[in-house]
Amino acid sequence: MTDQAAGLRQWAAKSKSVESTPLQVDSELEHVVVLGLPALDKTQTLRAVEVFQRWAEQGKKWVGDPNRWRIIPVASDYPDLAELVKPYPRWALWIDQDLDSFQRAYEALKAVHRAQGPKRMIALNPPLQSRRGLLSHVQQVAKAYFDIDLLVFSG
């Protein structure tokens, strides 16, 4: 009988932009748990990676090398969300332009609150035509209802 996880480990080792094994932590990488993605596939995860690349290109020094960031896409209904809090202190919320984005963001914030997750998260978003409305609304809801500071960076 072959090791069924061997193929997954090989794929994870080859992947440079997506961390596929959430309970392994590499101290040289910057891991960030991302909730609120419309799907947990590689295409959506790469969209989150692009935000760090965009911020680095805009001179946000705290990002450093965008290639060292590893996105850990997690569904808001992930049953062991609380187990991710200790090994992964960096969390982000994906906020998109589609009609369901606010609902996904709200459910993600509620899940983080229930899991006694971080009190500070980064807002990740594609370039939005109107940043003020949706982002500021989600930011206000995060603070008022869940006591989570949602950091919104320009660009």
Side-chain angles (χ1 to χ4, degrees):
M1 184 170 174
T2 62
D3 181 2
Q4 293 179 347
L8 289 174
R9 286 192 298 272
Q10 287 176 346
W11 178 83
K14 290 178 186 177
S15 175
K16 291 186 176 183
S17 59
V18 178
E19 180 66 36
S20 64
T21 51
L23 296 179
Q24 288 183 329
V25 178
D26 182 341
S27 62
E28 294 183 20
L29 300 175
E30 299 290 344
H31 294 84
V32 59
V33 174
V34 179
L35 290 97
L37 290 165
L40 299 181
D41 59 27
K42 192 167 185 172
T43 301
Q44 293 299 322
T45 304
L46 289 174
R47 293 179 72 202
V49 171
E50 290 170 358
V51 174
F52 287 100
Q53 291 170 342
R54 186 176 73 233
W55 286 343
E57 290 169 2
Q58 293 173 348
K60 293 190 177 13
K61 294 180 183 189
W62 65 269
V63 173
D65 179 3
N67 294 318
R68 71 179 194 174
W69 287 87
R70 295 298 181 258
I71 305 300
I72 303 168
V74 178
S76 298
D77 61 354
Y78 180 64
D80 298 321
L81 197 61
E83 292 180 19
L84 299 177
V85 174
K86 188 172 181 179
Y88 300 110
R90 292 175 189 85
W91 289 50
L93 179 64
W94 180 259
I95 303 170
D96 213 330
Q97 300 182 82
D98 64 296
L99 295 175
D100 297 325
S101 188
F102 179 81
Q103 182 65 31
R104 281 193 311 273
Y106 179 84
E107 293 299 324
L109 290 166
K110 184 167 63 171
V112 169
H113 181 74
R114 284 185 184 156
Q116 298 180 350
K119 294 293 185 184
R120 179 173 286 167
M121 296 175 69
I122 298 171
L124 297 179
N125 56 278
L128 300 175
Q129 292 178 6
S130 174
R131 295 177 39 87
R132 296 185 101 162
L134 180 59
L135 288 175
S136 64
H137 190 60
V138 173
Q139 190 177 37
Q140 290 169 3
V141 167
K143 188 62 177 170
Y145 292 95
F146 304 111
D147 195 29
I148 296 173
D149 290 322
L150 187 62
L151 305 175
V152 177
F153 297 101
S154 62

